């Protein structure tokens, strides 16, 4: 008879586990027959000894099959999704999903909520009056079949093993572990029943993986898992050394997302939507190269088709889509106050993590999953990396309800590093990672 203890010891000693051992561990843990302390020991063993590509696909498969996989086979068309490892002002999914759906690709997008310094797509969407992300798998499939896109939240049916394991990792110092992060993300994404997946893996001061080398390894690991499991997967490394776009905060990001859908969004936000959209169109085979993909996405952003698709999705999910023409229908902050530069010079770097946590301090984010959020608060950047500012010039406008305003404003001011010498600005788009690019060590 298989015993959890033997599997833990085998991993602790750095040996490769058999698929059956991984399957046993995950299914017994999900049922509750393997206690938390043994699973925590296993997670720690993985933290120190890592996992091979074949072990990771077995782990992801086991977590994926701990719940339901959405069966999209009855819906004609190719389904492709995007996942971002998250950051500050990362609203990309909101304009991206309708833009890609407007090009004729199915986009079954299941997103998460904000936690800590990052916002979540679900919270942003729910700042639209009436918009519900609480959809059953049945509704999800129907909407996908009717209009080609649904923006839903994770239900209890999706990868319950990951939910349980992630909660355990959170309290046992095993979150920051690339194999466990990669299998956790991929088990949830592959449950969408998709044929293609584009990963936006962030690095920099506001990213989960600050070091580009770690972000690169995470991207490679997820591309390897996805491809081994039969889903075409491609990753882009992108920069999170400053917030994406001008707005960060729930309602504010909805306004900016609509601007992108109207073809008048900020340059960086639009560029990310175009680039990731082109990758999605390429995976779906709607286009045969990225150049054509970019052109198609730009066209639907300019001709109103992406915006129309967004309105359709919003109406199907109960949202008052009059917000598209009147942003005043979204909740607004009571106060808008500028944070001023304490000296003249170039904005050479930002502590984007601190900027993100300042939004949470204002009430716009969560410290714990059960916290409620104020959708109206956030930040509106007045400067970008590399800009020259005079002493007293606004760096950022803080939208607040008054709650913790002084603390947040101090924190924001400390997040900007201004100096007399101008340093190089990192580019937004980093390397592209496909399965073909992976080194031999991934092909074990
Ligand atoms: N996000 C996830 O979904 N899982 C992790 O392990 C880390 C980040």
């Amino acid at each position: 008879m298989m015993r959890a203890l033997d599997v833990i010891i085998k991993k602790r000693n750095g040996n490769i586990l058999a698929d059956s051992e991984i399957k046993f561990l995950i299914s017994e843990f999900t049922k509750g027959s393997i206690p938390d302390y043994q699973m925590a020991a296993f997670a720690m063993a993985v933290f120190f000894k890592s996992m091979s590509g074949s072990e990771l696909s077995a782990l992801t498969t086991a977590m994926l099959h701990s719940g339901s996989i959405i069966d999209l086979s009855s819906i004609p068309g190719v389904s492709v999704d995007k996942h971002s490892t998250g950051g500050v002002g990362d609203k990309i999914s909101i304009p991206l999903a309708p833009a890609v759906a407007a090009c004729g690709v199915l986009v079954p997008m299941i997103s998460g909520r904000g936690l800590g310094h990052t916002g979540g797509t679900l919270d942003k969407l729910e700042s639209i009056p009436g918009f519900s992300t609480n959809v059953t798998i049945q509704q999800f499939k129907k909407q996908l079949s009717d209009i080609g896109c649904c923006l839903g939240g994770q239900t209890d049916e999706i990868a319950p093993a990951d939910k349980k394991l992630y909660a355990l990792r959170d309290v046992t110092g095993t979150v920051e572990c690339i194999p466990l992060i990669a299998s956790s993300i991929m088990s949830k994404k592959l449950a969408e029943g998709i044929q293609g997946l584009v990963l936006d893996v962030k690095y920099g001061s506001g990213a989960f993986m600050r070091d580009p080398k770690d972000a690169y390894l995470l991207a490679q690991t997820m591309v390897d898992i996805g491809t081994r499991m039969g889903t075409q997967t491609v990753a882009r490394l992108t920069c999170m050394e400053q917030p994406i776009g001008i707005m960060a905060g729930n309602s504010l990001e909805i306004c900016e997302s609509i601007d992108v859908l109207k073809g008048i969004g900020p340059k960086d936000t639009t560029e990310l939507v175009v680039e990731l959209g082109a990758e999605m169109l390429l995976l779906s085979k709607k286009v045969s190269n990225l150049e054509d993909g970019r052109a198609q996405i730009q066209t639907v952003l300019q001709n109103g088709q992406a915006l129309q698709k967004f309105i359709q999705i919003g109406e199907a999910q109960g949202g008052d889509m009059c917000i598209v023409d009147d942003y005043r229908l979204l909740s607004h902050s009571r106060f808008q106050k500028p944070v001023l530069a304490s000296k003249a010079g170039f904005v050479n770097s930002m502590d984007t993590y601190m900027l993100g946590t300042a939004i949470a301090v204002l009430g716009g984010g969560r410290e714990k999953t059960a916290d409620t959020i104020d959708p109206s608060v956030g930040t509106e950047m007045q400067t970008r990396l590399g800009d020259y500012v005079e002493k007293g010039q606004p760096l950022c406008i803080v939208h607040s309800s008054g709650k913790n305003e002084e603390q947040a404003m101090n924190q924001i001011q400390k997040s900007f590093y201004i100096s007399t010498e101008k340093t190089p600005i990192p580019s937004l788009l980093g390397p592209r990672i496909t399965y073909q690019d992976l080194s031999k060590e991934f092909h074990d």
Side-chain angles (χ1 to χ4, degrees), residues 162 166 169 175 180-181 184-185 188 208:
D162 171 65
Y166 197 12
R169 287 168 52 210
V175 167
L180 294 179
I181 296 169
S184 163
I185 292 173
K188 285 174 287 208
F208 193 56

Side-chain angles (χ1 to χ4, degrees), residues 109-121:
M109 192 177 269
I110 295 180
S111 306
R113 298 203 177 271
L115 190 61
H117 74 292
T118 62
T121 300

Side-chain angles (χ1 to χ4, degrees), residues 218-441:
L218 176 63
Q220 288 179 309
T221 309
M222 291 195 286
V223 167
D224 187 51
I225 294 174
T227 314
R228 279 170 190 265
M229 292 178 63
T231 300
Q232 296 182 76
T233 308
V234 61
R236 283 305 289 261
L237 231 61
T238 66
C239 176
M240 188 28 81
E241 295 288 10
Q242 59 186 333
I244 298 174
I246 296 164
M247 304 297 197
N250 296 286
S251 289
L252 294 169
E253 290 189 48
I254 290 294
C255 303
E256 192 161 81
S257 300
I258 298 170
D259 280 351
V260 173
L261 288 163
K262 290 176 176 169
I264 54 166
K267 188 169 165 286
D268 64 337
T269 318
T270 304
E271 197 179 344
L272 272 173
V273 171
V274 168
E275 201 61 27
L276 298 171
E279 293 283 6
M280 290 170 79
L281 294 187
L282 188 60
L283 284 186
S284 74
K285 304 206 168 48
K286 281 276 167 201
V287 293
S288 55
N289 59 65
L290 285 174
E291 202 51 42
D292 289 351
R294 290 184 194 107
Q296 276 208 27
I297 299 288
Q298 269 152 352
T299 303
V300 295
L301 293 180
Q302 292 299 329
N303 69 10
Q305 287 179 8
L307 182 65
Q308 282 313 312
K309 187 57 74 180
F310 179 63
I311 295 171
Q312 249 184 339
I313 297 164
E315 283 173 349
Q317 296 186 225
D320 175 4
M321 299 315 280
C322 296
I323 54 132
V324 162
D325 297 315
D326 188 356
Y327 295 169
R328 288 170 307 181
L329 297 173
L330 290 161
S331 67
H332 274 265
S333 59
R334 278 182 70 201
F335 306 106
Q336 291 99 44
K337 293 191 183 159
V339 171
L340 306 176
S342 55
K343 59 179 178 179
F346 293 96
V347 178
N348 275 338
S349 65
M350 291 181 202
D351 187 335
T352 315
Y353 175 85
M354 239 198 325
L355 283 169
T357 49
I359 298 171
V361 166
L362 290 166
R366 290 186 187 82
E367 234 174 87
K368 302 182 290 321
T369 41
D371 293 347
T372 53
I373 57 162
D374 177 352
S376 71
V377 303
T379 54
E380 181 179 348
M381 302 297 282
Q382 301 292 295
T383 44
R384 307 290 298 160
L385 285 181
D387 285 355
Y388 182 82
V389 290
E390 296 290 354
K391 184 175 176 195
Q393 191 177 321
L395 297 169
C396 171
I397 300 197
V398 174
H399 291 244
S400 90
S401 63
K403 180 187 160 193
N404 301 331
E405 188 184 80
E406 201 181 317
Q407 185 194 342
M409 288 182 73
N410 282 335
Q411 194 171 320
I412 291 169
Q413 185 156 54
K414 287 196 199 116
S415 311
F416 287 84
Y417 300 109
I418 299 171
S419 57
T420 45
E421 296 288 306
K422 185 169 178 168
T423 53
I425 310 161
S427 59
L428 176 65
L429 299 171
R432 175 170 191 261
I433 300 131
T434 66
Y435 188 68
Q436 286 70 35
D437 302 327
L438 300 184
S439 60
K440 214 180 136 292
E441 75 202 76

Side-chain angles (χ1 to χ4, degrees), residues 174-186:
T174 48
V175 167
E176 299 87 350
C177 170
I178 288 175
L180 294 179
I181 296 169
S183 53
S184 163
I185 292 173
M186 294 304 284

